[in-house]
Amino acid sequence: MVSAKDVQELVKSKLKGYKFLIVSNREPYIHMHTPDGVQVKTPAGGLTAALDPLMQATGGTWVAGGSGDADRKNVDKQNRCRVPPSNPKYVLKRVWMSKGEVDKFYFGFSNQTLWPLCHNVFKEPIFDESFWSGYKHTNALYAEAIRQETRGIDKAFIWFHDYHLGLAPKMVRNGATKKQKLVLAHFWHIPWPAWDTFTLLPWGKEILDGMLANDLIGFHLPSYCINFLASVEKVLGIKPDYRVLNVKYKGRTIHVRPFPISVDFDTIDKLARKPGVAREIKRVRAPQYIPYKYIGVGVDRIDYTKGIL
């Protein structure tokens, strides 16, 4: 198993001299108003759970959308704050979006267009021009935030995450200065559909053009890599090398690879071994509480692509 220390050493050895940035829609820490004052909470979700330990080990800057009702009051003039609050290890740079922008970018194009399309579920994706416009606009907001963080920097490694940011890589690359050396990578956390499903997307060419501004594109499974390359071939008319999972585009070679992501097992294991957990398990297993031999517990969100047990 690869540890946080292993990743730290890898980043130090391979990215020496590079500024390290992670870019995602969801932020790893949220400032919220509560009756007891402002509190910092960590959002639920695999992305932040997987990447926060990495960032704490390596340092750098995490660019993400501000979502807490006290977020704006807890950043500096550059919309930055140090996290985790108890023991700061890296910088969180927040991107601000209005409710209307979130509705079109996140709840609209990301979740009502790309999500059902990529999961190939029996729910028709919504192809709405206003959603697409909002998606483009918000990707531009992220690209501008990244430009602010890399201004005056000669070398930077920028790691984009998920389907919310399909256009931002091209915007960032196009906005770089001639002397800047930017290495762009993108991990797409959901499936990439078969090419004949992807071609239903009216803006598929633009999404592919944005994604191919990366140097490295990662998916969970090899089949998703093949689906992506097949989409490139069918939509853009470019023949990839399926044998080595590469494609040449606009004078550059883009590498497409499977990288199954994991969770922070050590932290979860420690939580599971706490005395309070054992007591609760014993209480739930008591016959007078639940008189069944087998008990199933599910923690998935209520979503049509996730099973609720």
Side-chain angles (χ1 to χ4, degrees):
M1 178 179 175
V2 178
S3 67
K5 186 176 180 180
D6 294 331
V7 175
Q8 183 181 28
E9 293 303 318
L10 178 65
V11 171
K12 284 183 177 180
S13 62
K14 298 295 184 181
L15 299 177
K16 187 176 182 180
Y18 283 78
K19 181 170 182 176
F20 184 43
L21 293 92
I22 281 180
V23 191
S24 68
N25 172 61
R26 182 165 292 181
E27 59 180 334
Y29 295 92
I30 302 173
H31 286 86
M32 300 289 294
H33 287 294
T34 73
D36 299 321
V38 174
Q39 293 186 359
V40 179
K41 299 182 178 181
T42 54
L47 186 148
T48 53
L51 296 181
D52 180 60
L54 185 152
M55 284 298 283
Q56 290 196 41
T58 62
T61 299
W62 189 323
V63 180
S67 57
D69 58 15
D71 276 357
R72 288 181 183 268
K73 295 182 179 179
N74 289 276
V75 293
D76 61 18
K77 292 181 179 180
Q78 286 74 43
N79 298 316
R80 303 175 185 141
C81 61
R82 297 276 300 172
V83 292
S86 59
N87 185 21
K89 297 290 187 179
Y90 63 92
V91 172
L92 172 59
K93 164 89 168 185
R94 285 173 169 147
V95 177
W96 308 121
M97 290 169 276
S98 67
K99 182 181 182 302
E101 289 168 338
V102 172
D103 286 344
K104 292 177 181 178
F105 158 71
Y106 181 74
F107 293 109
F109 193 80
S110 294
N111 284 3
Q112 295 186 61
T113 304
L114 288 179
W115 181 270
L117 182 79
C118 289
H119 283 87
N120 199 26
V121 295
F122 293 103
K123 179 178 175 65
E124 184 179 357
I126 297 175
F127 301 130
D128 186 294
E129 188 68 44
S130 68
F131 288 173
W132 171 243
S133 178
Y135 187 82
K136 289 190 294 182
H137 173 73
T138 304
N139 270 251
L141 294 180
Y142 275 87
E144 176 56 30
I146 294 166
R147 280 193 288 269
Q148 292 172 7
E149 292 300 305
T150 55
R151 189 171 292 134
I153 301 295
D154 291 334
K155 297 192 295 184
F157 178 85
I158 304 169
W159 192 8
F160 296 92
H161 282 271
D162 228 347
Y163 59 103
H164 313 92
L165 301 170
L167 303 177
K170 179 183 177 180
M171 295 173 177
V172 170
R173 191 170 292 283
N174 287 348
T177 63
K178 290 183 178 180
K179 72 173 186 177
Q180 280 185 314
K181 183 177 181 180
L182 302 183
V183 178
L184 308 185
H186 201 134
F187 189 81
W188 189 272
H189 287 254
I190 63 174
W192 190 277
W195 69 265
D196 53 351
T197 298
F198 182 77
T199 54
L200 297 174
L201 181 65
W203 309 282
K205 183 176 181 180
E206 290 87 342
I207 293 289
L208 291 173
D209 189 45
M211 292 288 290
L212 290 173
N214 290 290
D215 299 289
L216 173 65
I217 301 172
F219 296 96
H220 282 294
L221 301 176
S223 60
Y224 300 164
C225 298
I226 297 298
N227 287 348
F228 176 81
L229 291 173
S231 298
V232 170
E233 181 176 7
K234 297 297 182 180
V235 175
L236 300 180
I238 300 170
K239 181 69 174 178
D241 189 331
Y242 291 99
R243 182 178 56 85
V244 294
L245 299 180
N246 288 347
V247 60
K248 294 185 183 297
Y249 185 67
K250 295 184 177 180
R252 298 169 42 255
T253 299
I254 296 90
H255 305 274
V256 182
R257 297 289 186 272
F259 299 111
I261 196 169
S262 64
V263 296
D264 186 357
F265 173 82
D266 290 337
T267 298
I268 295 173
D269 185 57
K270 288 178 182 178
L271 290 173
R273 294 176 185 275
K274 284 188 173 182
V277 174
R279 287 195 300 269
E280 183 64 14
I281 291 174
K282 185 177 180 180
R283 184 183 71 84
V284 171
R285 283 179 172 172
Q288 66 271 23
Y289 188 73
I290 299 181
Y292 301 106
K293 184 177 181 180
Y294 299 104
I295 303 171
V297 180
V299 295
D300 288 325
R301 290 173 293 171
I302 299 176
D303 183 277
Y304 53 82
T305 63
K306 297 182 174 71
I308 305 299
L309 183 61

